[in-house]
Structure formats: structure tokens, C-alpha cells
Amino acid sequence: MTSAFGLIVGLERIFHLDQMQDPGFAVLTGNARRCPSRYDVGAWRRHVRWNEVDRFCHRTSPWDLLRQQDVLMSFDEHAIPRWTKKFVIPKGYVTTRNKFMRCEKLYLGYEVNLRRFATIKATPGNVELRDVAGLLTRRVLRSGQPASLHALFDAGAGKSDADVRALMDLAHATENLEITLRACRYPSRMEQWKSLPAEAFTSYEEPGVCVGARPKEIRVAETRTVLKDETPAQAVRTIVCRQVIPGPKKDRWHPLYTSGDAEAGEVVDTFRLRQHHEQGFRVQVHDEGLNATPCGYDKESPDRHHPRFHRGPPQLVGWLACLVYNACAAFLEALSPAWAGKFVSTARRVFFNHQGDLYCTPQALIVYLEEFSEQDLLVDYIDRFNAAQHRVPWLENRQLILSLSPHAARAGP
Amino acid sequence: MATEGRSFETWLLAAKVRPERLSDEQRFILQATFRFLQDSEGDYSSSRIASHFLLHCGLGLEVTQIARLVGIHPRSAFRHRNLSAKHVGQQIHYHFHGRPYGKLLPRHAGSIADFLFRHPQGTRDELLEFIARAWKFRVSKVALWEFLKKYGLDRASLKESQQASDAEEEQRVTAQVLEARTPGALVPVPPEQFFLPTRSTPGRSCCGPKCSPGSTRPAIASATTTGRSNGAS
């Protein structure tokens, strides 16, 4: 409870519990007298078992949103840097720092149309997207049972031609699976793609970066790429996207391998939706403290040069962050279409973190919020919440009542 | 819904109507009623129409049986027996155009609790005045009493919660006093509430059941004194 509600109220680090003196948070997390101790919560988080965490993640995944739907899912990694000098843990590439360093990784599946996280896997830092791409795709197909799945991958899923071939084979073997991944820009391949004739490209014009800016020019071509040790008959369909940069700078090339039959421009537009996934990572890092997940290396390992890896702690806290992200997105969408897509920190600032009074009667725990400007938006939600008659099991099963100040005068639920 | 997930036979048995005692005419009519209720998924209008029909078609069933068949209270069925079809139609109309909830909603409980907390000696009239001022509607004293009772804001509940919180506070203070010991210092005297009340009888009562000591007393153990220790002496 503390780990989940801490993310909602914006508890950035577990040791901030020491200074926490909020009676509302204490009641919310199971103790009416005082906030939980960081030692108890931290110890529990560090010792959760991986199989229990896997089961928790599976059972709380939003599979029902994917069932019999056309799913567009992006799979990508988030590297969490580790600064330990004592334990020698595997290194991986951390993109934000642009270097190899000790880290651990979270692999997440994100439904880009619904904007919800769907699945997670925590790994040591030396595991790459290509190692888990097939596993995560099969998991979504098996558990989500979508009508069709279009999986999007960044270049890390196809570092070698064998990885690309494995994904393409999976797509060919599965009837309702389509895969698009960004191709690695190896020099020999780039020469091949750059040598395409100018007439093979179709030019698109897009709005510039701001009003009044020069429009962007995008040129898209379609070709086939023969992978290593393969015949031309096995060549992979490749969409080459060239972004023309005016001036002395070089043009930007974005090649994509795809197993689908959609038009080239459509494939590029679909792949661009993957940006929502990256934005989701940013929201999690800045609003939910994703980089503060407990470490996976075992601090009680007998050999500090080869510590064991426990994926339970980082995966659990990472997945809680995903659940909070999903819950906030659902809450804001239900309030009003204008609030859809707002960040977790916005929801926290506008709706969650407000002063109020608690009244504990023998039958109910009444939460009386002080007046705030957007409280009218919450009236319907609060009426539905109160009508559901939620109870607090650890407070002698009292009914939880949310209440607004009289300013919100409106008749009926 | 009276017919939900049931077969015709179980529907009859649940209403305490024995199928073997039904005539062919009764069986046909009840089968048609069962299908009607199933198709309409037991909404209010359908159950009212079905109950009115069964009460007035001269089927020979008891009113309580009809009430159980359509899933209403027997007292309501007796009341409906005297209504005409026109009145039933009017009641269905009123049911859907009325307000199925009270004026006081759960979200008003916080303000009312706040008022009671700030005005512990306030009267009911003052509270009603506050409600009228805050939300621009008036409620009856009965409705207010039911609302306060439901959420534990009536005087009895508030007094009970006040006593409970006082007891908890005492316990907390006692625990704090006992925990606040510094090494080498005198043991503080626990408050009076820490001890059980002293016996008012001159000796043990011989009328009550004998208390079990729990385990045999070790022969070498010394007797424990029951006198109070005084840390200050």
C-alpha cells in the first residue's frame, strides 16, 4: 500500500517516509496513528520473490483492454543507472548518458493507441532488447488474445541480421502478428539505401516545428534488404525514410524493417506513434521516480564480484509505477476528454494533493476536502465513488466517504 | 430478478408453488408469465404488470405466492391487489419520473461533520439552517436524522467515538510513559489506569468458578509478590 500510494502522492524516495507526518497517508497505508517506517517497507520491497511478482504483474496487467482488439504495441527498454562501486554488476548502454555503465533494465510493453503499459520484465544491464523481444511479443499474444498485434521495436531489437530474421520468422509463423522495427544504420547498409534512385522516393511535406516555421520535407521509399547469408528471395521489406535537412547539415535517415503490407507512408506514421512510449518513460521517471526502484543485485551475495540478480524488487516497483500511470490516465480520461493525456504530476497537483480534514465516526471515515478550483469536475466521480460504498478493512471496515466543500452546489448524482 | 438463471420448475419451487398441484390452465399461464419476466429481464414495469395480471386474472394462487413469483414483498402485493390498471400505470410513471435518492448525498457528510465539530452544542434547527444556506435546499428532520445515523454523526455515535478516542489517547500516553525510560534513571511510576482495580471484597470469592493457574507451579520458583512496585522508593 505504501509503495503504491507513495507513487500517487509523489513520495520520491522511500527514505522520505521518515519525515512524513500526514495522518491521511497513515490511514491510507494501514495505520491510523503514524506513517509506516521506511525500514519495514524497504525490507519488504527488497525481499519479494520473483515468481510472486511475476504472478502479480500478470494478474494486474490490462489484458482485458487488449482482448479481441487491434493492438499496436511498442516494446522498449528503460535503463536504470546503478552507481555501486562495491558490487560488480553487468554494464549496459544508458542512452541518456550516452555511455556504457553499470545499470539494470526494465523492458515494457506499451499500447500506443490506448496509452497504457501492458507488460514488464526486469533484467540485468547486459540484457538487450533483442534478447527479450520474442518473449514479450509471445506473452502479449498469449495473455492478451488480441485480434491482431502490430509490434513496434527500436533498433536494439535488430542489432544483428539473425535477430531481424528471428522476429520476421515469428511474424510469418503467427497469423495475426505484424512487426515493424527500426533498422540499424550500419555503413554498408546505408550505402545501399542511399544508392536508391531519386525517383523511388515519394516526397511528403509536413508542418514545421512551430507556426511560421519552414515545413519539413520527408522522402519515403520502399525497397527490400537481403540479410546476411540469405538469398534475395528472403529479402526483408524495408521502408527508407529520409528527412531532408536544409543547409549544410546532413539529411537524417530512418530505415524501417516491416513484415506488413501497408503503404510506406502509413508504416512511417504508425511507427512514429512509438514516441508516446518514450513520453511514458519520461513521465514515469520525472513524476513517479522510476529510477528510484530498488536494485536487483543481491547485496547479501557471498561474492561481491558476482552478485546474484533478483528481478522481483525492481520489477515490482517498476510495475507499480506503470499501474499508477494507467490508473491516472483512466481517471483523467473519465473526467473529461480535455484532461486525457495529462501527466501524473498534473493530476497530482490539481486533484490528489489537497488539504482536508478526516472525521472518523463509528460507521464511516469522512474525508472532507478543502475547496479547490477544479472540484466541480470531481462531483460525478465522487458521487460514483460514494455510491460504490468502499470500505476500509484496516479501520474496522468503516465506509469511506469523500466529501467536497459546499461551494460545489449541484443537485443529484 | 425473480427468474434470473432459473428454470421454470425451480422458479415455481423457489416461490413455494408445487408444480404437481397446478392445473393445466395455471401451468400455461405461469409458463407465459415466466417467459415474459425472462424476456423483460425483470425490470420494474414488467414485474408490476405481471403481478397485476396474476392478482386479477382469477388464477387461484395466493397473494403471497404471487409476490414470491414476481419477486416483490407480500405486503406490497396485498397493497397492489386493490389498485386498478390505471393506477398501476400511474405508479410506474411516477417511479421513473421521481427522484430515487434523497437530497442529502454522501458528499455532503464532510461539511455536516465539520459543522458538528465546530458547533458541538448546535441544535438540529441550526444544522438545518446551515444545510439550507450551504446547498440551497431544505430537508426534513427525519431525513436529517437518518442521514446522521447512517454516517455515525448522530449524538450517540459521536459520544461513542469520543469515548473511544479518549481511551486510545490514554493508552497511548501510558505506553509513552512506560517507554520513556533512560538507562540508570528511576523507573517512572505508571499511571493509575495501568493497574487493574483493587479488589473490594475482603477475600477471594468462593461463589465464582475456580480460576485455572494454567500450569503447575515449579517447586523451586519463588512466590511472586502482588504488591505494587513503586519506582520512586
Side-chain angles (χ1 to χ4, degrees):
Chain A
M1 298 294 284
T2 308
S3 301
F5 286 120
L7 294 173
I8 292 172
V9 302
L11 188 77
E12 290 178 2
R13 298 286 186 275
I14 190 75
F15 55 84
H16 294 182
L17 278 173
D18 280 350
Q19 284 81 42
M20 195 90 163
Q21 289 184 335
D22 188 341
F25 189 75
V27 170
L28 204 58
T29 51
N31 189 336
R33 286 274 162 223
R34 59 186 169 82
C35 291
S37 154
R38 72 160 163 138
Y39 300 102
D40 297 342
V41 178
W44 177 80
R45 281 160 51 136
R46 280 196 303 275
H47 291 89
V48 286
R49 295 181 181 176
W50 67 269
N51 50 352
E52 291 170 357
V53 171
D54 268 4
R55 213 172 305 142
F56 171 77
C57 295
H58 174 72
R59 290 189 179 178
T60 50
S61 294
W63 300 128
D64 52 317
L65 297 177
L66 312 183
R67 195 143 296 145
Q68 297 306 317
Q69 301 293 320
D70 294 324
V71 173
L72 179 62
M73 186 161 289
S74 164
F75 297 95
D76 204 359
E77 69 183 28
H78 173 69
I80 303 169
R82 299 294 184 204
W83 306 96
T84 177
K85 299 286 180 195
K86 179 178 175 183
F87 294 95
V88 182
I89 62 170
K91 288 185 178 181
Y93 183 64
V94 180
T95 48
T96 50
R97 293 173 188 277
N98 195 23
K99 66 176 183 177
F100 273 89
M101 61 182 296
R102 302 194 196 289
C103 66
E104 285 163 354
K105 287 181 179 173
L106 293 176
Y107 287 92
L108 290 137
Y110 184 86
E111 218 293 342
V112 293
N113 288 326
L114 298 170
R115 302 196 186 183
R116 299 284 192 282
F117 285 99
T119 187
I120 189 172
K121 185 174 176 63
T123 66
N126 58 350
V127 175
E128 295 182 350
L129 182 58
R130 54 182 172 169
D131 300 322
V132 297
L135 182 144
L136 293 176
T137 309
R138 281 190 292 270
R139 182 191 287 176
V140 171
L141 285 169
R142 188 179 59 246
S143 304
Q145 299 285 323
S148 68
L149 171 63
H150 189 170
L152 306 176
F153 294 98
D154 204 1
K159 280 192 175 176
S160 72
D161 284 356
D163 302 323
V164 178
R165 174 48 57 201
L167 285 174
M168 291 301 155
D169 285 349
L170 180 64
H172 289 307
T174 313
E175 193 182 352
N176 58 346
L177 175 63
E178 199 174 302
I179 285 177
T180 301
L181 72 152
R182 197 161 69 79
C184 284
R185 288 169 285 199
Y186 294 122
S188 59
R189 288 272 157 77
M190 285 304 296
E191 276 179 25
Q192 184 187 334
W193 293 325
K194 282 181 180 176
S195 64
L196 285 170
E199 57 269 22
F201 286 89
T202 312
S203 187
Y204 297 92
E205 195 170 87
E206 293 189 339
V209 291
C210 61
V211 177
R214 195 172 170 175
K216 286 191 287 186
E217 187 187 352
I218 303 288
R219 294 179 191 171
V220 179
E222 182 177 338
T223 181
R224 301 185 78 82
T225 306
V226 180
L227 300 177
K228 191 179 175 187
D229 300 332
E230 288 189 0
T231 60
Q234 295 173 291
V236 178
R237 185 181 177 219
T238 309
I239 310 295
V240 182
C241 174
R242 178 183 185 181
Q243 186 182 352
V244 180
I245 307 291
K249 288 185 180 175
K250 289 181 186 175
D251 292 350
R252 289 184 190 149
W253 294 77
H254 307 285
L256 300 172
Y257 293 132
T258 182
S259 67
D261 305 322
E263 196 203 338
E266 198 179 319
V267 173
V268 173
D269 288 342
T270 305
F271 192 79
R272 282 174 166 179
L273 294 174
R274 212 185 68 77
Q275 191 58 29
H276 294 314
H277 189 178
E278 301 288 358
Q279 180 77 349
F281 278 144
R282 258 173 247 153
V283 170
Q284 285 192 317
V285 168
H286 295 289
D287 294 356
E288 302 181 85
L290 185 67
N291 285 351
T293 53
C295 50
Y297 58 88
D298 185 5
K299 291 180 179 173
E300 292 162 9
S301 286
D303 181 5
R304 69 181 180 88
H305 292 285
H306 300 93
R308 296 167 293 205
F309 179 74
H310 293 169
R311 80 162 181 263
Q315 186 167 314
L316 175 74
V317 180
W319 183 240
L320 284 177
C322 295
L323 290 179
V324 168
Y325 178 95
N326 289 353
C328 286
F331 169 74
L332 292 170
E333 281 172 12
L335 280 186
S336 159
W339 285 90
K342 299 285 182 198
F343 294 170
V344 174
S345 57
T346 307
R348 186 183 293 143
R349 191 180 65 248
V350 177
F351 297 112
F352 300 160
N353 286 359
H354 286 289
Q355 297 286 330
D357 292 325
L358 296 177
Y359 295 98
C360 194
T361 72
Q363 276 84 34
L365 173 69
I366 300 168
V367 180
Y368 178 45
L369 299 172
E370 282 182 11
E371 187 176 339
F372 56 97
S373 54
E374 282 83 8
Q375 68 176 22
D376 288 345
L377 284 169
L378 285 182
V379 171
D380 283 336
Y381 177 82
I382 284 181
D383 283 338
R384 281 200 305 275
F385 182 91
N386 290 335
Q389 300 194 353
H390 295 290
R391 294 189 175 272
V392 189
W394 55 88
L395 210 62
E396 294 163 3
N397 220 27
R398 286 181 170 89
Q399 187 181 341
L400 180 60
I401 302 287
L402 298 183
S403 180
L404 294 169
S405 65
H407 154 75
R410 238 200 56 177
Chain B
M1 181 182 157
T3 58
E4 191 177 15
R6 291 177 172 174
S7 66
F8 177 64
E9 304 296 331
T10 53
W11 179 59
L12 292 178
L13 290 172
K16 297 181 183 171
V17 177
R18 301 181 70 172
E20 65 274 11
R21 290 194 180 176
L22 293 175
S23 64
D24 286 346
E25 186 192 10
Q26 285 176 325
R27 178 173 285 273
F28 292 145
I29 290 175
L30 287 177
Q31 276 181 338
T33 308
F34 178 72
R35 279 197 295 274
F36 174 71
L37 288 173
Q38 272 202 323
D39 285 350
S40 60
E41 299 180 349
D43 63 357
Y44 177 78
S45 314
S46 308
S47 62
R48 283 304 301 269
I49 291 166
S51 70
H52 183 74
F53 174 71
L54 291 176
L55 286 167
H56 292 90
C57 69
L59 199 60
L61 292 175
E62 292 174 14
V63 177
T64 51
Q65 285 178 323
I66 292 172
R68 286 193 291 267
L69 284 169
V70 296
I72 61 174
H73 198 275
R75 203 179 298 157
S76 304
F78 277 109
R79 206 171 57 245
H80 294 167
R81 192 174 52 168
N82 302 323
L83 297 177
S84 65
K86 182 183 171 187
H87 283 121
V88 172
Q90 279 177 348
Q91 285 193 350
I92 293 171
H93 178 78
Y94 291 152
H95 177 85
F96 286 108
H97 286 81
R99 185 163 45 78
Y101 49 86
K103 289 180 195 168
L104 279 176
L105 296 169
R107 69 174 134 92
H108 300 140
S111 305
I112 292 173
D114 187 54
F115 178 85
L116 293 172
F117 180 75
R118 292 180 195 282
H119 306 89
Q121 305 302 326
T123 62
R124 286 282 172 271
D125 287 333
E126 286 171 352
L127 183 52
L128 287 169
E129 193 58 35
F130 166 73
I131 290 168
R133 209 171 46 248
W135 294 293
K136 312 282 187 296
F137 61 74
R138 300 198 79 86
V139 291
S140 67
K141 281 190 176 177
V142 175
L144 176 64
W145 183 83
E146 282 178 358
F147 183 83
L148 296 178
K149 181 85 178 161
K150 186 176 181 183
Y151 298 114
L153 293 169
D154 56 319
R155 288 208 173 97
S157 303
L158 288 176
K159 194 176 175 186
E160 185 188 329
S161 61
Q162 183 63 38
Q163 284 172 348
S165 67
D166 287 348
E168 276 182 24
E169 187 65 21
E170 269 181 23
Q171 281 180 0
R172 196 175 61 81
V173 169
T174 307
Q176 275 183 351
V177 167
L178 291 176
E179 280 173 7
R181 281 185 295 183
T182 50
L186 292 174
V187 178
V189 183
E192 199 64 27
Q193 294 85 352
F194 178 74
F195 300 101
L196 289 171
T198 50
R199 202 167 55 217
S200 58
T201 52
R204 283 184 185 280
S205 169
C206 57
C207 302
K210 282 189 176 178
C211 297
S212 166
S215 60
T216 54
R217 184 180 169 192
I220 55 169
S222 59
T224 308
T225 176
T226 55
R228 292 183 185 183
S229 63
N230 191 346
S233 61

